[in-house]
Amino acid sequence: DSGVTQTPKHLITATGQRVTLRCSPRSGDLSVYWYQQSLDQGLQFLIQYYNGEERAKGNILERFSAQQFPDLHSELNLSSLELGDSALYFCASSVAVNYGYTFGSGTRLTVV
Amino acid sequence: GNSVTQMEGPVTLSEEAFLTINCTYTATGYPSLFWYVQYPGEGLQLLLKATKADDKGSNKGFEATYRKETTSFHLEKGSVQVSDSAVYFCALTAGINFGNEKLTFGTGTRLTIIP
């Protein structure tokens, strides 16, 4: 157990639907990062939150949004889902970036 | 911008062979460098890191040296085991001093060790 908890582990949904992925960071970590891993695009950075505030944005689609709550857990909302959104979504947390990230085990999203 | 270029895979080796996975980078300032490993069905795990030039990161028999002159961070292991079969990712961060904390990953190298 890495200390970063992601739920659900698997999600199957239809095109056009909306889903919410949840992440609880490791205790003491203030930063949460979201990444998308697909076969054709590798690991793509989506967004970072630090202590409740958005810190950096990557290749995140407008259909996607995220937030970090006062208890530091984070949610990634994916809407108007398309087949191409099928991927592994990872959350990671860190206390300081030079120490590296701790990753969760991911949520596998399948859009049918 | 920051980027990481990794050796193309997949790589297949026999048990006890010597392993090298090449990684070179382009970055602003003085990045920190990392190797992550992903076992089947799991998330990424930090394998080793180096935060300044000439630092050597090491863990579980793996080593990598931060070479600023060649902008490289090659991963090596002297004698691989079947249990080392996984996907290996090289990554960097420019750090908070450059307003860019996110990790930038290479494309990953799939390693298979055969008995």
Side-chain angles (χ1 to χ4, degrees), chain B residues 1 12 27 29 51-52 64 73 76 97 99:
Chain B
T12 302
T51 57
K52 61 183 188 297
F73 193 55
E76 297 182 336
N97 290 335

Side-chain angles (χ1 to χ4, degrees), chain A residues 36 41 44-47 54 57-66 76-86 89 109:
Chain A
Q36 179 193 59
Q41 300 233 344
Q44 297 290 316
F45 170 69
L46 295 178
I47 197 163
E54 183 183 301
K57 227 171 186 175
N59 301 322
I60 188 166
L61 300 172
E62 285 192 13
R63 302 183 283 110
F64 296 181
S65 65
L76 179 67
N77 300 297
L78 315 176
S79 61
S80 303
L81 285 167
E82 302 174 359
L83 296 177
D85 298 327
S86 296
Y89 291 84
L109 173 67

Side-chain angles (χ1 to χ4, degrees), chain A residues 2 4 26 29-33 35 48 91-103, chain B residues 32-36 44-51 91-93 95 101-105:
Chain A
S2 68
V4 177
R26 198 178 55 163
D29 289 355
L30 298 180
S31 280
V32 170
Y33 308 80
Y35 280 80
Q48 177 202 357
C91 166
S93 70
S94 72
V95 60
V97 67
N98 286 352
Y99 288 88
Y101 294 178
T102 301
F103 278 83
Chain B
S32 294
L33 303 174
F34 305 84
W35 277 100
Y36 281 82
L44 280 75
Q45 300 174 27
L46 178 63
L47 181 59
L48 52 85
K49 67 181 176 74
T51 57
L92 69 82
T93 177
E101 299 174 32
K102 70 178 177 71
L103 276 175
T104 298
F105 286 90

